Amino acid sequence: MYSDLDFIISNYNSIEAASFSWSAPSNIALVKYWGKKEVGDQIPANPSISFTLKNCKTITSVTISSKVEKDNFSFDLLFEGKPKEDFKPKIQKFFERIYKYCPYLKEYHFTIDTQNTFPHSSGIASSASGMAALAMNIMSLEKALKPEISEDYFYAKASFLARLGSGSACRSIIGKVVGWGKNETIKNSSDLFGVIFENIHPNFHNFQDTILLVDKGEKQVSSTVGHNLMHNHPFAEQRFHQAHHNIAKIVSLLEIGNVTDFMSLVESEALTLHAMMMTSMPYFILMKPNTLEIINKIWKFRSDTQTPVCFTLDAGANVHVLYPEHVKEKVLQFIQDELVGYCQNGQYICDEIGNGSQLIVNN
């Protein structure tokens, strides 16, 4: 088990130039992370567990070259090949947060070029996939500087760094099902990085996630603000206790392959997340009328046809429709027939469980 001190690198080599490229996917939490501890950077107030997605991902290429001046960070940021100045403050803040653990960052100029496989401004959070992809590139640089680091350390530190950019990004590094946050149920769980949960019943292999794009606009309340509102929330402690209980419950369901109870717990978690938003002070609602229409349609379809399909939500209006692969044709027909009309411009994205980040280029 690693501590944060283990991720402070020393005695590393130097290189003149290199280029790397990684993809990293988004993920969808099954037991939700909502609220951060007031002590420490990006430490979750409760544990979470997520499905790693496959198709909704960020592809980030990084070219580095050594520089003479080593007293500041130096980087250019491109989005889809074009300069993106409004992204730069977030990367600057990220570099500042991780500099303690990656002191070589000031020794190089970085050209960072990033793109998403899902539509820009689709309402799908790109911070998790984006920060995960960038963290993987930084760890490729670290591996070039210190080749003896182990694979286990490589991925653990990548998750640790990604977390400092965006909390849920630590769950996008590796693994089909990933837990984050110290708890008694998942082996080697940590507040510092995500860990793979491997004991998954075949019923959950190739599980599908069709994302219904209900509202592609910017949220009126950011996730950062929402997390902070948990500090004085009247139901915070009960929620954090519930999350620990639900982690234990969902791990058991994933192991034994109980899809029916899994669906009930996942939907309850989604509604609890939004209940925390609606009962904070100030209170806010991120669901839209069409979100509720879709939920009711899913409930009716499941009741009428006994098809194993459920929903979950992130901190927004979009609906993730989860279901086993063997009912894919039936569920997609249902979506086409009854749900697509509630999506903005009729848009939805078909995804499924994936394996995490993938190396594309290492030169």
Side-chain angles (χ1 to χ4, degrees):
M1 178 59 66
Y2 299 108
S3 73
D4 58 339
L5 298 179
D6 293 320
F7 294 130
I8 300 175
I9 188 176
S10 59
N11 302 320
Y12 54 89
N13 303 320
S14 62
I15 57 175
E16 285 300 309
S19 59
F20 315 103
S21 184
W22 282 86
S23 69
S26 187
N27 66 77
I28 181 64
L30 307 170
V31 172
K32 307 296 184 180
Y33 143 64
W34 198 244
K36 303 174 187 178
K37 292 181 180 176
E38 296 189 69
V39 178
D41 282 330
Q42 302 282 81
I43 301 298
N46 69 265
S48 59
I49 192 167
S50 61
F51 277 156
T52 308
L53 299 182
K54 181 179 181 180
N55 300 325
C56 290
K57 59 189 176 183
T58 298
I59 301 168
T60 299
S61 301
V62 174
T63 301
I64 63 117
S65 55
S66 62
K67 58 188 180 76
V68 177
E69 297 288 335
K70 304 185 188 305
D71 56 352
N72 57 17
F73 302 114
S74 175
F75 62 90
D76 295 315
L77 184 64
L78 308 174
F79 180 70
E80 297 180 345
K82 299 177 182 177
K84 191 72 172 175
E85 292 298 315
D86 54 335
F87 280 10
K88 292 187 76 171
K90 190 166 188 177
I91 303 302
Q92 175 74 23
K93 186 176 181 180
F94 177 54
F95 277 12
E96 290 169 359
R97 276 183 171 174
I98 68 173
Y99 178 66
K100 174 182 176 181
Y101 308 100
C102 307
Y104 47 79
L105 290 176
K106 289 185 178 179
E107 299 173 22
Y108 298 93
H109 175 78
F110 293 76
T111 300
I112 304 166
D113 194 348
T114 189
Q115 59 182 304
N116 297 324
T117 61
F118 47 91
H120 185 53
S121 299
S122 65
I124 297 175
S126 60
S127 56
S129 57
M131 286 299 175
L134 182 54
M136 296 306 298
N137 280 285
I138 290 170
M139 285 308 297
S140 280
L141 170 57
E142 183 162 315
K143 181 74 171 176
L145 299 175
K146 195 166 185 174
E148 64 268 28
I149 64 175
S150 69
E151 182 177 342
D152 182 68
Y153 178 91
F154 180 97
Y155 283 104
K157 184 169 179 179
S159 181
F160 173 85
L161 296 178
R163 188 198 95 240
L164 294 175
S166 173
S168 60
C170 74
R171 301 191 308 245
S172 285
I173 298 296
I174 190 172
K176 295 177 182 294
V177 178
V178 179
W180 170 41
K182 186 68 178 172
N183 65 87
E184 296 179 356
T185 308
I186 299 175
K187 186 179 179 182
N188 297 325
S189 62
S190 173
D191 287 342
L192 301 180
F193 49 85
V195 299
I196 300 172
F197 175 70
E198 295 180 322
N199 194 17
I200 306 164
H201 191 278
N203 286 353
F204 293 102
H205 292 180
N206 302 319
F207 226 69
Q208 305 291 299
D209 179 5
T210 299
I211 307 160
L212 307 182
L213 304 181
V214 172
D215 182 16
K216 300 191 292 181
E218 188 172 335
K219 293 181 294 190
Q220 72 266 32
V221 177
S222 71
S223 292
T224 299
V225 171
H227 283 296
N228 288 337
L229 291 175
M230 288 296 285
H231 290 319
N232 298 306
H233 198 291
F235 307 130
E237 289 307 314
Q238 295 96 319
R239 165 57 196 157
F240 301 149
H241 176 77
Q242 179 196 44
H244 279 272
H245 174 78
N246 283 348
I247 286 279
K249 194 171 177 181
I250 204 165
V251 161
S252 174
L253 298 173
L254 289 167
E255 288 177 332
I256 65 176
N258 187 332
V259 174
T260 300
D261 288 352
F262 166 88
M263 292 190 302
S264 295
L265 191 151
V266 166
E267 290 187 343
S268 172
E269 273 286 317
L271 295 175
T272 297
L273 170 67
H274 284 260
M276 292 299 103
M277 301 172 191
M278 289 187 276
T279 51
S280 65
M281 188 57 74
Y283 42 81
F284 59 102
I285 299 174
L286 295 185
M287 287 190 286
K288 300 294 184 183
N290 281 359
T291 307
L292 298 175
E293 292 286 353
I294 289 169
I295 289 172
N296 280 304
K297 288 279 189 181
I298 290 172
W299 284 342
K300 185 176 188 304
F301 175 73
R302 187 169 70 211
S303 175
D304 290 348
T305 67
Q306 302 304 303
T307 304
V309 58
C310 70
F311 73 88
T312 189
L313 309 167
D314 57 15
N318 295 334
V319 181
H320 290 249
V321 185
L322 303 178
Y323 51 96
E325 186 181 34
H326 70 86
V327 296
K328 181 176 180 178
E329 186 176 338
K330 189 174 185 179
V331 172
L332 289 179
Q333 190 62 54
F334 160 63
I335 289 170
Q336 278 285 348
D337 292 344
E338 298 195 43
L339 302 185
V340 71
Y342 299 107
C343 300
Q344 191 169 343
N345 300 323
Q347 284 191 291
Y348 62 92
I349 297 172
C350 293
D351 212 332
E352 61 187 292
I353 291 183
N355 291 303
S357 56
Q358 292 183 312
L359 178 64
I360 301 169
V361 174
N362 187 6
N363 293 325

